[in-house]
Amino acid sequence: MTKEEAIKLLNIYGEAWITRDPDLITTIFTSDATYNDPHEPENIGIEAIRQYWISKVVEGQKDITFDLKHVWVDGENVIAEWHAQFTDTKRNVRIDMQEIAVFTTKDNKFSSLREYYKTIKTPL
């Protein structure tokens, strides 16, 4: 995967998050992909990722911003750093998040995602 291809997928990731679009997020993952949020059970397969996105993002977040900072590519591996902010509607807090995500790729899509992040929570 080239850096340009990775950035294109990551920009779609950001757009899917900002627009809270579970159908768009599934376009960048392989059908057997894994999505690993360190605070949630691992999601295996495109439908599990879609359902995770619905429960976590669509039903629990709003006013989302996403700013891609850095992207590194080594063969089929991608590491990305971004800054995001959103309102967590379930906990009624504003989240400021710094994240590093590690992806593997296959067929020009992400085949796995492991997230590592630090958040600052501000009560509303």
Side-chain angles (χ1 to χ4, degrees), residues 18-41:
I18 290 167
T19 61
R20 301 171 28 200
D21 187 337
D23 295 322
L24 184 57
I25 197 64
T26 62
T27 67
I28 63 170
F29 287 96
T30 61
S31 62
D32 61 346
T34 59
Y35 192 121
N36 193 337
D37 175 329
H39 301 286
E40 303 288 338

Side-chain angles (χ1 to χ4, degrees), residues 37-111:
D37 175 329
H39 301 286
E40 303 288 338
E42 185 174 50
N43 294 281
I44 302 170
I46 201 74
E47 188 53 33
I49 293 169
R50 186 177 186 287
Q51 290 305 315
Y52 166 82
W53 205 258
I54 290 170
S55 68
K56 190 79 168 188
V57 177
V58 176
E59 296 174 355
Q61 299 176 0
K62 68 177 185 176
D63 305 323
I64 301 159
T65 65
F66 176 87
D67 183 22
L68 185 61
K69 297 293 188 184
H70 302 285
V71 178
W72 299 271
V73 176
D74 182 16
E76 299 303 308
N77 300 300
V78 176
I79 299 172
E81 177 185 18
W82 61 75
H83 175 243
Q85 294 181 317
F86 57 90
T87 299
D88 181 325
T89 59
K90 293 179 180 177
R91 296 183 289 172
N92 203 33
V93 294
R94 185 75 181 159
I95 304 287
D96 189 307
M97 172 186 283
Q98 297 289 336
E99 179 162 339
I100 297 286
V102 180
F103 299 86
T104 58
T105 63
K106 181 172 66 175
D107 301 328
N108 291 317
K109 291 186 175 189
F110 295 135
S111 55

Side-chain angles (χ1 to χ4, degrees), residues 1-8 71 73 75-76 78 108:
M1 171 156 292
T2 68
K3 185 173 182 177
E4 292 74 25
E5 291 168 330
I7 289 170
K8 181 179 177 182
V71 178
V73 176
E76 299 303 308
V78 176
N108 291 317

